[in-house]
Amino acid sequence: MLIAHRIALDPNDVQATYLARAAGTARFAYNWALAEWKKQYEAWKADNHQPKPSQAALRRQLNAIKREQFPWMLEVTKNAPQMAIIQLGQAFQNFFAGRARYPQFRKKGVHDRFTITNDQFSLDASRIRIPNLGWVRMRETLRFAGKIMSATVSRVADKWFVSIVVDTPDDSHLPQAENQGAVGVDLGVSALATLSTGETITGPKPHKALLARLQRLSRSLSRKVKGSANRKKAKGKLARLHARIASIRGDALHKLSTDLTRRFHTIGIEDLNVSGMVKNRHLARSIADMGFFEFRRQLEYKAAMRGGQVQVADRFFASSKTCSGCAHKLESLPLAVREWTCPACGANHDRDVNAAINLKNMAVSSTVAACGEEGAGRARKSAVKPASVKQEVSFVPV
């Protein structure tokens, strides 16, 4: 299992300058290769006798000309430009497979990173040795044991980080879920998450809390003369505030996803169309401030590491307007209605709690169906039909 550990670096001024130059070299190589790829691809379309572009051919081409045309590339690790071109090849593979959009040029201050292969660096407790630079202090030691695959050094605002990818043989570094049963999680804007147990997690809403300061720094930056030292300072202040907002959001999502996967073996969530939801100009800022996609990503990989599972309801599953007691479904339920009474059984429902209970029931039914042949259930179907196994309930009903 591949897992990455992101660790903050503590470089001195000389080391930070080298890291910035290596990141700039990687960005230049990526953009150069992308421009060459476009030019060579057009030539290949016009004349099939011309070679079709590939990342291997572009790497050989760069190696042949860099000593004469780009001698400053030799001052940093050779992995910086070479791995950037390899990543461009992977980006094109994803594009042709329909998994990503067409690769775009990297920008300074946005894509400041470079990758090192496992044979070019070494670790010693809380230090990492980078080629042509030497030992750089890390804020903590590597948590995971296993084969080290690669390391990516990146900059966020004015801080440097290294993300070390490790191939771990097992997940023993995390205890198994406590198996408190199943839980449904309904995500929202007023509250980040409402659980079927009745718990409500408000969420920090960092962008909303720091919006006034963000607007003030943005106005200050817009008034500065381009290329001036004051503009550089203002840009750094704004970048640090954006990084702080992202850190606050990420911390809250990590705490919530860790708590849920630690307590519950089976978790039911909705398949939210986040890209469509943010098109609502009235709610776009609040929706983006919650981080729904990142929450689901964390929930899925942490549940798998703890031996749990996440059941995802169909996008059109009516979790809010279906009575969790008798399964009666309303024709419509406006977003402004936060509580409603079931006309069939008379039960009074809180909109979010009712949705969470329905998601929990969906997760339970899907888990039971998966123990036998693939059957009914509102969860997303697996790509491969599972084999029949002995039916065992792996959770304790709440």
Side-chain angles (χ1 to χ4, degrees):
M1 176 180 180
L2 294 178
I3 188 169
H5 185 192
R6 187 167 179 254
I7 305 173
L9 296 176
D10 188 18
N12 55 36
D13 291 342
V14 175
Q15 293 171 338
T17 300
Y18 174 90
L19 298 179
R21 288 165 59 192
T25 301
R27 181 177 62 252
F28 177 87
Y30 185 94
N31 293 342
W32 172 88
L34 179 55
E36 284 291 321
W37 191 300
K38 290 181 177 180
K39 183 173 66 175
Q40 295 179 17
Y41 187 78
E42 292 298 326
W44 174 79
K45 284 202 309 182
D47 182 5
N48 289 338
H49 296 291
Q50 296 290 332
K52 191 175 182 180
S54 67
Q55 58 90 5
L58 287 172
R59 284 193 291 135
R60 290 193 297 267
Q61 181 180 345
L62 179 62
N63 284 334
I65 65 174
K66 68 179 181 181
R67 289 185 178 275
E68 295 182 359
Q69 298 186 21
F70 315 119
W72 41 267
M73 282 189 174
L74 304 176
E75 299 175 2
V76 299
T77 171
K78 63 180 181 180
N79 275 166
Q82 294 297 307
M83 291 301 297
I85 299 177
I86 291 175
Q87 290 165 358
L88 176 64
Q90 294 171 345
F92 271 108
Q93 287 181 359
N94 293 332
F95 167 71
F96 290 122
R99 295 188 296 266
R101 65 175 185 172
Y102 192 85
Q104 303 294 311
F105 290 103
R106 290 182 177 179
K107 296 180 180 180
K108 184 178 180 179
V110 180
H111 305 101
D112 294 340
R113 63 179 183 270
F114 65 95
T115 301
I116 314 172
T117 55
N118 57 2
D119 61 331
Q120 294 293 310
F121 72 95
S122 56
L123 297 174
D124 178 24
S126 58
R127 298 190 304 168
I128 180 173
R129 186 178 181 86
I130 298 176
N132 299 353
L133 178 61
W135 293 102
V136 181
R137 289 182 296 177
M138 302 189 302
R139 293 297 180 92
E140 57 180 314
T141 58
L142 184 64
R143 298 178 190 172
F144 311 117
K147 181 181 179 181
I148 297 176
M149 306 302 292
S150 65
T152 299
V153 180
S154 59
R155 177 167 58 185
V156 178
D158 57 350
K159 296 182 179 179
W160 288 95
F161 299 86
V162 58
S163 180
I164 303 174
V165 179
V166 183
D167 188 1
T168 58
D170 54 44
D171 301 327
S172 57
H173 58 280
L174 279 180
Q176 295 295 302
E178 295 179 3
N179 203 1
Q180 294 185 15
V183 67
V185 183
D186 179 67
L187 301 177
V189 174
S190 57
L192 171 59
T194 301
L195 308 185
S196 56
T197 58
E199 301 173 62
T200 301
I201 295 88
T202 305
K205 302 178 183 178
H207 188 271
K208 180 179 180 181
L210 297 171
L211 182 59
R213 187 182 305 178
L214 196 65
Q215 292 172 335
R216 178 172 58 82
L217 291 180
S218 297
R219 286 195 301 268
S220 176
L221 175 63
S222 67
R223 297 189 184 105
K224 301 296 186 291
V225 178
K226 289 187 177 181
S228 65
N230 283 337
R231 181 179 176 85
K232 184 178 179 181
K233 293 178 184 178
K235 186 177 180 180
K237 288 182 180 180
L238 184 61
R240 285 191 291 273
L241 183 58
H242 275 294
R244 181 184 177 189
I245 291 172
S247 297
I248 294 173
R249 184 185 299 116
D251 178 68
L253 294 178
H254 272 295
K255 287 178 178 177
L256 176 58
S257 57
T258 298
D259 179 64
L260 292 176
T261 54
R262 177 182 57 82
R263 292 165 55 191
F264 302 100
H265 179 272
T266 304
I267 303 172
I269 61 174
E270 292 178 290
D271 181 21
L272 296 176
N273 180 19
V274 179
S275 60
M277 294 168 65
V278 295
K279 292 179 181 179
N280 184 333
R281 64 186 182 89
H282 299 289
L283 298 175
R285 180 182 293 168
S286 299
I287 292 171
D289 202 13
M290 290 300 184
F292 294 152
F293 178 84
E294 176 64 11
F295 172 72
R296 175 176 168 177
R297 187 190 70 85
Q298 293 182 14
L299 205 62
E300 289 179 336
Y301 85 78
K302 290 182 181 180
M305 293 168 67
R306 292 183 182 271
Q309 56 184 318
V310 176
Q311 296 291 341
V312 183
D314 184 82
R315 182 167 294 181
F316 301 102
F317 174 48
S319 59
S320 297
K321 57 184 181 181
T322 300
C323 177
S324 57
C326 66
H328 175 78
K329 182 179 176 181
L330 298 179
E331 290 295 329
S332 63
L333 185 65
L335 190 61
V337 178
R338 309 312 302 174
E339 293 185 3
W340 60 279
T341 302
C342 178
C345 65
N348 188 43
H349 295 296
D350 177 274
R351 179 194 184 101
D352 298 333
V353 175
N354 176 70
I357 295 175
N358 283 327
L359 291 171
K360 172 192 170 183
N361 295 337
M362 175 278 303
V364 172
S365 63
S366 300
T367 304
V368 173
C371 293
E373 299 296 338
E374 189 171 27
R378 299 184 181 91
R380 179 181 296 166
K381 303 300 182 184
S382 58
V384 180
K385 184 177 180 181
S388 302
V389 295
K390 182 179 178 182
Q391 198 172 65
E392 294 180 353
V393 179
S394 59
F395 57 87
V396 179
V398 177

